[in-house]
C-alpha cells in the first residue's frame, strides 16, 4: 500500500471490511516521527507511507501530504 494515494488505499481497506485511522509522518534529521491526525485533515491525494495494524478491524495509515525525500515508499 506504500506509495499509493489515500483514496486508493481506502478503497482497498473498505473492500476488506476494515476501518482506518491516520497518522501524519513528520520527517526530521535522522528519521521521522508519526503524529495522530483526524480523518477530516487528510486529503485523498495524500500519499500512504506505511500501513500498520492499529487494532482489530482497523488499519493505521501513516501518510504525508506529498512525497518526502528521505522516506522509502514501496511503490
Amino acid at each position: 500500500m506504500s506509495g499509493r494515494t489515500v483514496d486508493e488505499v481506502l478503497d482497498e481497506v473498505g473492500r476488506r471490511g476494515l476501518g482506518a485511522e491516520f497518522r501524519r509522518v513528520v520527517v526530521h534529521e535522522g528519521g521521522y516521527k508519526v503524529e495522530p491526525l483526524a480523518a477530516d485533515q487528510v486529503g485523498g491525494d495524500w500519499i500512504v507511507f506505511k500501513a500498520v495494524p492499529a487494532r482489530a478491524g482497523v488499519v493505521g495509515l501513516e501518510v504525508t501530504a506529498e512525497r518526502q525525500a528521505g522516506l522509502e515508499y514501496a511503490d
Side-chain angles (χ1 to χ4, degrees):
M1 293 188 185
S2 178
R4 296 167 55 191
T5 67
V6 167
D7 280 346
E8 291 171 328
V9 172
L10 286 179
D11 284 346
E12 180 68 24
V13 167
R15 281 194 295 277
R16 295 180 185 191
L18 301 171
E21 62 185 33
F22 298 93
R23 297 176 190 94
R24 178 191 308 263
V25 176
V26 179
V27 178
H28 57 79
E29 188 175 320
Y32 70 92
K33 64 180 180 176
V34 293
E35 302 171 341
L37 186 65
D40 63 356
Q41 296 178 297
V42 179
D45 61 342
W46 285 34
I47 307 298
V48 174
F49 170 59
K50 189 185 294 185
V52 297
R55 58 186 179 281
V58 179
V59 63
L61 300 179
E62 296 180 2
V63 299
T64 56
E66 56 192 31
R67 288 186 180 270
Q68 298 289 309
L71 292 180
E72 293 186 32
Y73 298 88
D75 288 322

